[in-house]
Amino acid sequence: MRAVWSWFVVTLVGVIIVVLVLGLGMFGRLDAGQKVLNGAAPIFDRTRVDGAAAGIGIVSNATDLLDPVVLSARNTAPEVGKLVGFVSAKTGFTNSQVTTLLAQDYPHVLALLQTVPFEDVARELPRLAPFLAQTLGLSQDAVNTALPQLYPGITQATTALPGVVSGWDNVPGTAGFTRFDGTPIRTVPQVRDYFAQDVIPVLDRQSENFTALTRSGGVGFLPLLLLVAGLVVIVFGVLMMVLASKGLPRVLATAAWSTVIAVGALVVVLVFALGLFPRLNGGAKTINDVAPILTAERVAGAKAGVAMISTIVDLADPVALQTSTGTQEVPNVVSFVSRQADIPPEAVIPALAANGMPHIATLLQAVSLQQVATELDALTKFLAQQLNLSQQQVIAAVGQQVPRLGQVITALPKVTGVWDNVGIQGFTRLDGTPITTVPQVRDYFRDDVIPVLEAQQANFQRLNNAFPTVNIFPPLLLVIGIIVIIYGIIMLLLVRRGGGEGPDRPARTGVDQELTKV
């Protein structure tokens, strides 16, 4: 009977393993975890993390550029006069001479200064189509139909501008959206801060841990491994219970207990060969760190934030560079209106100003932003020469006098300088498409990252919310393996001490006989 009870213990270990696997819902949780790994692993790739960080850096610079000039509430327009006065005081020119200098040598800079705030441009936009219809002798519907076909870049920018203005301080879809510390997120600068200060640091910290989790088959195989091991132990234990009740030869008993030891050793070897301790300890840290990103509210908020960033890119892309579509369309549309209305080309833009659209007129004169940045660089160099200062000292002095315009001056070249070259070698979309431009960075976040977050949010919550944490599995497996090994060794020693019962040895009686049955 003692041999039967010995194998009953083995069977009980198998039952405990199966109960743990099924009772703790390991299949559901780790299957969900494997889906998260499969879906999100490309996002945690080191090159893509670096690319995402660079992309958010560009978003940050673009936010610094636009925040002072989008809304009248920023009170940036009065700084234009202060800037002219500052230059006048430092150079000895009159205000009128400074304005004339800007108009002659730095016309794009002056036009952009006169455009501020963009809120006024958005307010004037509804007047544009009626003006063109009247000037060109067309119906307003004809104008609205023709503009996107003839001038898609300008149409894209003018379509996006109202959304940027209305959403800048109230991003649509951000109700319930908060930073990790609970601070509400409503404005574009706050969206930028969330991605730059909360999300990107998590991706950076957990890139290595997440990548390690995906190695050696991930985590989805662990429940099946445990379940199969448990069932095999149960079947083997029951079989040996039956055989032990009839009396086992020592050779067979020795082989059986050696098998038990081998199974325990295999479990221990797998724990270390698969690197389960470092991988799942890192996995637990990753789950804790990533959890704030994958709440339902933050996934929805991130989607809304990226949609707003997308609108900003739609606004800026046609006018960012000298080669941009909208930049090249401006002289074409002026020439077209001039021909159709039979007015001189130089009279077209003043006609806009005369018909209640002065900010649209100056904005058309300001594009491209790249040209503005080039002229700003030349202007600050000119002032540095006039004032016997370094260029950086001039920029710092301007920033002290007119901080909002100083922010624009600092941010503008950072945006235009990388618009068509974000500079991350090997940065690609999930399908392998190279990412080199800011619109492509936008596409990566909008069409790759956000869908992954949406698809894996429920899976992640299933993985994260239940007990136990994933780092319990390596010690659990290790303890089971060690216990099985120790138990098997003890029983093997008892068998060898007690002999066996079978055709190769005569049966013995008493205690010795009982040990033999073990």
Side-chain angles (χ1 to χ4, degrees):
M1 283 299 294
R2 189 173 298 175
V4 174
W5 281 106
S6 299
W7 287 107
F8 174 77
V9 171
V10 173
T11 305
L12 183 61
V13 170
V15 170
I16 291 172
I17 293 173
V18 171
V19 169
L20 285 174
V21 170
L22 301 179
L24 295 177
M26 290 185 187
F27 273 100
R29 286 190 63 207
L30 295 188
D31 178 64
Q34 190 64 48
K35 290 176 180 176
V36 172
L37 287 180
N38 294 341
I43 293 173
F44 282 85
D45 172 78
R46 172 45 60 185
T47 301
R48 289 198 180 96
V49 170
D50 292 341
I56 294 301
I58 296 168
V59 169
S60 182
N61 291 330
T63 302
D64 288 341
L65 167 64
L66 292 174
D67 190 52
V69 299
V70 170
L71 301 178
S72 57
R74 296 298 188 270
N75 205 31
T76 303
E79 287 191 352
V80 175
K82 292 181 181 179
L83 178 61
V84 171
F86 169 76
V87 175
S88 173
K90 293 296 182 181
T91 61
F93 297 160
T94 65
N95 285 0
S96 177
Q97 288 174 322
V98 172
T99 302
T100 300
L101 173 69
L102 292 174
Q104 290 178 348
D105 296 339
Y106 314 102
H108 293 81
V109 172
L110 179 62
L112 183 62
L113 292 174
Q114 293 172 336
T115 301
V116 177
F118 290 169
E119 184 176 5
D120 288 342
V121 179
R123 191 177 295 116
E124 293 171 3
L125 279 175
R127 303 171 190 167
L128 181 59
F131 165 78
L132 291 174
Q134 182 179 1
T135 302
L136 300 175
L138 301 172
S139 70
Q140 192 168 328
D141 287 342
V143 169
N144 290 333
T145 300
L147 280 178
Q149 297 174 354
L150 297 175
Y151 309 107
I154 292 176
T155 301
Q156 177 179 306
T158 55
T159 301
L161 180 58
V164 172
V165 170
S166 64
W168 193 266
D169 269 358
N170 187 21
V171 178
T174 55
F177 189 23
T178 65
R179 295 281 302 276
F180 288 178
D181 63 4
T183 304
I185 299 172
R186 297 294 179 272
T187 71
V188 171
Q190 289 168 343
V191 169
R192 176 268 313 273
D193 293 344
Y194 170 71
F195 283 108
Q197 299 173 22
D198 288 352
V199 175
I200 293 298
V202 168
L203 297 182
D204 184 60
R205 286 193 300 268
Q206 299 306 328
S207 173
E208 185 176 346
N209 285 334
F210 202 97
T211 301
L213 270 176
T214 63
R215 300 189 187 114
S216 302
V219 297
F221 71 93
L222 289 174
L224 182 60
L225 174 65
L226 286 169
L227 183 63
V228 169
L231 292 174
V232 168
V233 169
I234 290 171
V235 171
F236 189 65
V238 170
L239 175 63
M240 296 310 298
M241 283 172 62
V242 172
L243 293 176
S245 67
K246 299 177 181 179
L248 282 176
R250 186 172 68 173
V251 173
L252 184 56
T254 299
W257 287 114
S258 297
T259 302
V260 170
I261 295 170
V263 170
L266 177 62
V267 171
V268 172
V269 168
L270 285 175
V271 168
F272 291 103
L274 297 176
L276 294 186
F277 271 99
R279 287 177 58 220
L280 295 187
N281 283 338
K285 293 176 182 177
T286 299
I287 289 170
N288 291 336
D289 215 9
V290 172
I293 297 175
L294 283 167
T295 65
E297 295 79 8
R298 289 200 181 98
V299 170
K303 182 177 182 179
V306 169
M308 187 65 191
I309 291 170
S310 179
T311 304
I312 294 169
V313 173
D314 285 342
L315 167 63
D317 188 51
V319 297
L321 305 177
Q322 285 291 88
T323 55
S324 295
T325 306
T327 303
Q328 296 177 336
E329 287 174 357
V330 170
N332 294 336
V333 73
V334 169
S335 177
F336 174 75
V337 172
S338 171
R339 292 194 308 270
Q340 293 298 114
D342 195 23
I343 59 176
E346 61 271 16
V348 173
I349 290 180
L352 289 172
N355 283 270
M357 292 169 283
H359 290 83
I360 291 178
T362 53
L363 182 58
L364 290 174
Q365 292 172 305
V367 296
S368 68
L369 296 178
Q370 184 180 40
Q371 186 62 37
V372 176
T374 300
E375 290 182 1
L376 276 173
D377 181 62
L379 176 59
T380 52
K381 286 179 179 176
F382 167 77
L383 293 175
Q385 185 179 18
Q386 291 290 312
L387 303 177
N388 196 27
L389 298 171
S390 71
Q391 190 175 9
Q392 291 304 315
Q393 286 174 319
V394 169
I395 294 173
V398 169
Q400 291 176 349
Q401 295 296 316
V402 284
R404 296 176 183 83
L405 287 178
Q407 180 174 310
V408 172
I409 291 170
T410 301
L412 180 57
K414 295 179 182 178
V415 174
T416 59
V418 299
W419 196 264
D420 263 1
N421 184 16
V422 298
I424 302 298
Q425 188 69 29
F427 186 24
T428 66
R429 295 278 303 276
L430 298 189
D431 63 3
T433 304
I435 298 173
T436 58
T437 70
V438 172
Q440 289 168 346
V441 171
R442 178 271 312 276
D443 295 344
Y444 171 67
F445 280 100
R446 183 189 63 190
D447 301 333
D448 288 351
V449 175
I450 292 300
V452 166
L453 296 183
E454 289 183 307
Q456 300 306 327
Q457 192 271 330
N459 285 328
F460 183 85
Q461 294 305 323
R462 188 174 185 183
L463 171 68
N464 183 44
N465 287 342
F467 176 83
T469 57
V470 294
N471 58 344
I472 201 68
F473 297 124
L476 176 63
L477 284 168
L478 185 61
V479 168
I480 290 173
I482 291 174
I483 289 175
V484 169
I485 291 171
I486 293 173
Y487 185 72
I489 290 173
I490 291 173
M491 300 312 298
L492 182 60
L493 291 175
L494 290 175
V495 166
R496 287 180 175 176
R497 285 176 54 194
E501 184 174 317
D504 59 328
R505 286 177 63 95
R508 289 188 278 180
T509 59
V511 175
D512 211 24
Q513 187 179 27
E514 291 300 316
L515 286 174
T516 300
K517 292 181 180 179
V518 175

